[in-house]
Amino acid sequence: RSTLFPYTTLFRSRDDEDDTFLLYYCTKGKADIQADQVNYKMKEGDVILVPAEANEFFLLPETPDAELLEVRMDPRPENDIVSEPVDE
């Protein structure tokens, strides 16, 4: 799943059951992602992976035209054929 959004400061909080990582691709402008009191700078074309363990973080625009594409990868189900061993 993906979402493209222009934004102002955005606080993200996830519940304990959310075990997916988030990927942010900067499509326009400049932005920061702040997690665990550390700022990660992004400019157009940059990608940042936010691990599932980061329960709270901020998306902070540096330019008024900043846009980020958020991509969310849900975990595979346990019975996924790709994760099952192959018998030969």
Side-chain angles (χ1 to χ4, degrees), residues 1-6 12 23-25 27 67-72:
R1 294 179 287 176
S2 63
T3 305
L4 177 65
F5 55 95
R12 295 294 310 260
L23 183 135
Y24 287 97
Y25 171 65
T27 60
E67 285 185 347
L68 297 179
L69 175 66
E70 178 184 277
V71 179
R72 173 189 193 88

Side-chain angles (χ1 to χ4, degrees), residues 20-48:
T20 63
F21 67 84
L22 297 171
L23 183 135
Y24 287 97
Y25 171 65
C26 186
T27 60
K28 192 174 176 185
K30 293 181 181 180
D32 291 346
I33 293 182
Q34 184 183 57
D36 296 326
Q37 300 178 349
V38 177
N39 278 354
Y40 301 93
K41 301 229 177 258
M42 297 183 75
K43 64 183 182 312
E44 188 172 329
D46 287 349
V47 175
I48 290 184

Side-chain angles (χ1 to χ4, degrees), residues 63-82:
T63 58
D65 63 340
E67 285 185 347
L68 297 179
L69 175 66
E70 178 184 277
V71 179
R72 173 189 193 88
M73 298 298 294
D74 293 326
R76 291 183 179 168
E78 288 187 28
N79 60 353
D80 185 347
I81 192 166
V82 176

